[in-house]
């Protein structure tokens, strides 16, 4: 099969790496890809993955490319093309594509839609209200004593959530999103949720319209600095499994979250084929959904796909055709840890074009895979080309071994200004 993967980050590198191992893959393109992706080879033929300079949101040119190259399966990584309706467009033209259509992608592209859906079908979530009017929003925030999360409705590059702990802070946040429109049209409406305390984990479920096959647990690290200090980022590291939900907890998630979600989708004619990725807070009164994403997490994908034993092409086909009930997901029991190495200054301003050293040495170590995110080639050299640069991923006999191996590799890789957290997986190690 000829595959096209859309996107350019660490998530897409992990998808390409895993799809390249499939016996079904005979040729693979990635648009636009990155320097690490262009070094991947197909297990089948040994041929290199080809990066094509097409933006992930350039739907007309992506469509023209898929038609011209007779792509058998397109795999969408990021949220934006899904929200723009790439799946609907490709399907109208008779092309096979994996990911939720525009209606289904609303679980991520509209927080108002997701919150109201959860309330309609009784999914456990934070107490919340949705508002277009600043006065009503402020009154609701005051009723929560200002301890709340103010969320822009639409996609805002992961920056549209403002956590507040005081009424004046909440008023400022509401003004910023609803009145000053800092996030543009994404902030025409907002969701205000009560602030929830607990342990945050990531869940992923592969869906085929009828079935939701739950992955093992994982945990992301959103803040830039150790001990969850500093600004929110796209994610500074992840590990799986995260030892905070036992079998009974997972059963509760299936019954109280996935089951009513599937029933709600059926009732509203939402045909969801793709990854449902709920962000969950494990509170004293049980798991509660903070938000939904409608695609693979980054860097959760890096730890999931280094543990997944199934052929990913076959899984995505089953997700498209509604055959997931017949498939068993198989996971390597070895835990996996991904440490993100970022450019100095990220998530604020940062330099690009810094030479990266040490990757050749790390490439020969067993139990390690370095996924590239923001990298490019300059002559023969690899250089930094984004905020998150590398996702150094390792697996081992237990979480500690995987963590130690990941950091041993991180310590061999250098670039000017490199910044990473030292405490990825520390919470999991503390709990287990
Ligand atoms: P979201 O994009 O909605 O997941 O929000 C981004 C981050 O804000 C989450 O990963 C949480 O750490 C935090 N957050 C969101 N909603 C809440 C909430 N209701 N209570 C506490 N923290 C929250």
């Amino acid at each position: 099969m000829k595959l096209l993967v859309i996107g350019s980050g660490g998530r897409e590198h992990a998808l390409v790496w895993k799809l390249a191992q499939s016996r079904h893959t005979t040729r693979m393109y990635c648009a636009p890809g990155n320097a690490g992706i262009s070094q991947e080879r197909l297990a089948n033929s040994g041929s290199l993955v080809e990066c094509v300079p097409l933006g992930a949101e350039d739907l007309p040119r992506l469509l023209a490319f898929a038609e011209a190259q007779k792509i058998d399966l397109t795999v969408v990584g990021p949220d934006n093309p899904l929200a723009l309706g790439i799946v609907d467009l490709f399907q109208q033209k008779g092309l096979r594509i994996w990911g939720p259509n525009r209606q289904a992608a609303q679980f991520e592209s509209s927080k108002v839609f997701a919150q109201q859906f959860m309330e309609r079908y009784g999914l456990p979530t934070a107490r919340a209200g949705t508002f277009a009017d600043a006065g009503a929003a402020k009154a609701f925030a005051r009723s929560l004593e200002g301890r709340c999360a103010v969320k822009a409705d639409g996609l805002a590059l992961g920056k549209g959530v403002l956590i507040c702990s005081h009424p004046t802070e909440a008023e400022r946040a509401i003004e910023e999103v609803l009145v000053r429109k800092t996030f543009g049209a994404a902030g025409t409406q907002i969701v205000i949720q009560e602030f929830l305390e607990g342990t945050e984990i990531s869940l992923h479920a592969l869906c085929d319209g009828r079935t939701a096959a739950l992955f093992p647990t994982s945990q992301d690290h959103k803040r830039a600095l150790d001990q969850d200090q500093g600004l929110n980022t796209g994610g500074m590291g992840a590990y799986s499994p995260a030892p905070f939900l036992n079998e009974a907890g997972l059963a509760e998630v299936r019954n109280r979250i996935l089951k009513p979600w599937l029933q709600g989708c059926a009732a509203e004619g939402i045909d969801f084929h793709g990854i449902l990725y709920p962000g969950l807070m494990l509170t004293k009164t049980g798991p509660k959904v903070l938000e939904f994403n409608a695609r693979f997490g980054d860097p959760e994908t890096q730890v999931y796909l280094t543990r997944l034993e199934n052929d990913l092409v076959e899984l995505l086909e089953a997700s498209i055709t509604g055959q997931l009930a017949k498939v068993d997901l198989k996971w390597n029991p070895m835990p996996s840890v991904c440490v993100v190495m970022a450019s100095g200054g990220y998530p604020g301003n940062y330099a690009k074009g810094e030479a990266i050293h040490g990757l050749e040495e790390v490439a020969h170590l067993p139990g390690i895979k370095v996924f590239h995110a923001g990298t490019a080639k300059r002559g023969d050299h690899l250089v930094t080309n984004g905020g998150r640069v590398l996702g150094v991923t390792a697996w081992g006999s237990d979480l500690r071994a995987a963590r130690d191996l990941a950091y041993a590799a991180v310590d061999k890789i250098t670039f000017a200004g490199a910044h990473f957290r030292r405490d990825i997986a520390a919470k999991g190690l503390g709990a287990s």
Side-chain angles (χ1 to χ4, degrees):
M1 287 169 71
K2 276 184 166 182
L3 269 58
L4 168 64
V5 175
I6 294 177
S8 61
R11 164 184 49 214
E12 286 75 23
H13 190 179
L15 285 166
V16 163
W17 173 79
K18 185 68 184 166
L19 292 165
Q21 293 165 28
S22 169
R23 64 193 173 93
H24 302 285
T25 309
T26 52
R27 194 145 188 193
M28 188 163 16
Y29 301 93
C30 187
N34 62 39
I37 289 172
S38 65
Q39 292 173 346
E40 292 296 336
R41 289 184 183 277
L42 306 188
N44 227 335
S45 59
S47 60
L48 283 166
V49 173
E50 294 164 57
C51 290
V52 286
L54 299 173
E57 288 158 38
D58 190 349
L59 271 45
R61 290 177 70 207
L62 290 168
L63 175 68
F65 179 83
E67 286 183 318
Q69 299 300 326
K70 299 195 166 49
I71 297 294
D72 298 299
L73 174 63
T74 297
V75 177
V76 188
D79 47 8
N80 274 350
L82 295 170
L84 291 170
I86 191 169
V87 170
D88 313 59
L89 178 69
F90 274 47
Q91 285 176 342
Q92 280 157 17
K93 301 287 179 182
L95 290 169
R96 211 168 179 75
I97 182 164
W98 177 80
N101 61 24
R102 190 175 184 159
Q103 182 196 24
Q106 277 185 98
F107 281 104
E108 176 160 10
S109 64
S110 170
K111 288 192 191 284
V112 169
F113 169 82
Q115 189 69 36
Q116 292 177 343
F117 181 96
M118 288 196 276
E119 287 164 13
R120 277 199 297 282
Y121 297 99
L123 278 73
T125 179
R127 191 150 77 86
T130 59
F131 305 93
D133 172 68
K138 286 178 188 172
F140 183 70
R142 275 195 299 278
S143 78
L144 299 172
E145 291 167 356
R147 289 173 47 75
C148 61
V150 175
K151 305 186 175 191
D153 175 45
L155 297 177
L157 300 170
K159 294 182 179 157
V161 175
L162 304 171
I163 303 294
C164 310
S165 52
H166 190 272
T168 44
E169 202 182 349
E171 294 209 354
R172 237 181 286 134
I174 292 164
E175 286 277 326
E176 189 174 332
V177 186
L178 268 185
V179 183
R180 284 203 299 283
K181 295 261 183 292
T182 309
F183 305 110
T188 306
Q189 291 189 83
I190 58 172
V191 173
I192 300 180
Q193 289 181 335
E194 67 175 320
F195 182 83
L196 291 177
E197 278 177 71
T199 300
E200 200 176 336
I201 62 164
S202 300
L203 291 180
H204 280 54
L206 183 61
C207 306
D208 70 355
R210 282 171 293 205
T211 303
L214 190 59
F215 285 15
T217 49
S218 67
Q219 190 172 48
D220 187 6
H221 298 66
K222 283 268 172 225
R223 301 292 197 95
L225 306 175
D226 283 8
Q227 287 163 2
D228 297 331
Q229 301 295 305
L231 295 173
N232 255 328
T233 69
M236 295 299 292
Y239 64 97
S240 170
F244 306 106
L245 269 186
N246 55 19
E247 271 313 309
L250 284 172
E252 188 182 359
V253 162
R254 282 194 191 88
N255 280 328
R256 293 188 55 212
I257 297 173
L258 293 181
K259 206 169 147 195
W261 178 79
L262 281 167
Q263 285 166 344
C265 285
E268 300 197 5
I270 298 169
D271 194 21
F272 194 108
H273 300 257
I275 289 281
L276 182 75
Y277 152 22
L280 224 63
M281 192 68 92
L282 304 178
T283 71
K284 279 187 195 137
T285 54
K288 293 191 176 166
V289 180
L290 295 179
E291 61 150 3
F292 284 116
N293 301 292
R295 36 83 196 169
F296 272 107
D298 187 348
E300 289 93 331
T301 309
Q302 291 84 317
V303 292
Y304 280 136
L305 296 188
T306 47
R307 296 188 60 207
L308 182 70
E309 292 181 341
N310 304 67
D311 182 308
L312 185 57
V313 172
E314 290 174 11
L315 282 188
L316 300 188
E317 283 287 329
S319 163
I320 292 173
T321 57
Q323 301 296 310
L324 273 179
K326 296 182 191 155
V327 178
D328 271 333
L329 296 183
K330 295 196 183 71
W331 301 97
N332 188 326
M334 285 207 262
S336 186
V337 174
C338 173
V339 179
V340 169
M341 297 184 75
S343 298
Y346 172 78
N349 294 333
Y350 52 81
K352 288 185 182 178
E354 304 290 358
I356 306 171
H357 302 284
L359 288 172
E360 306 73 22
E361 192 186 340
V362 168
H364 298 111
L365 299 177
I368 300 254
K369 175 68 191 174
V370 178
F371 294 112
H372 292 219
T375 66
K377 271 207 125 172
R378 197 172 57 196
D380 284 343
H381 288 288
L382 275 173
V383 296
T384 64
N385 192 41
R388 293 189 293 174
V389 177
L390 301 167
V392 180
T393 309
W395 48 99
S397 52
D398 59 21
L399 189 57
R400 186 173 302 278
R403 192 271 313 256
D404 291 348
L405 196 55
Y407 278 110
V410 164
D411 287 336
K412 293 186 195 311
I413 300 170
T414 55
F415 52 88
H419 159 66
F420 54 90
R421 278 179 63 161
R422 271 280 167 204
D423 65 344
I424 302 304
K427 281 193 203 123
L429 285 168
S432 59

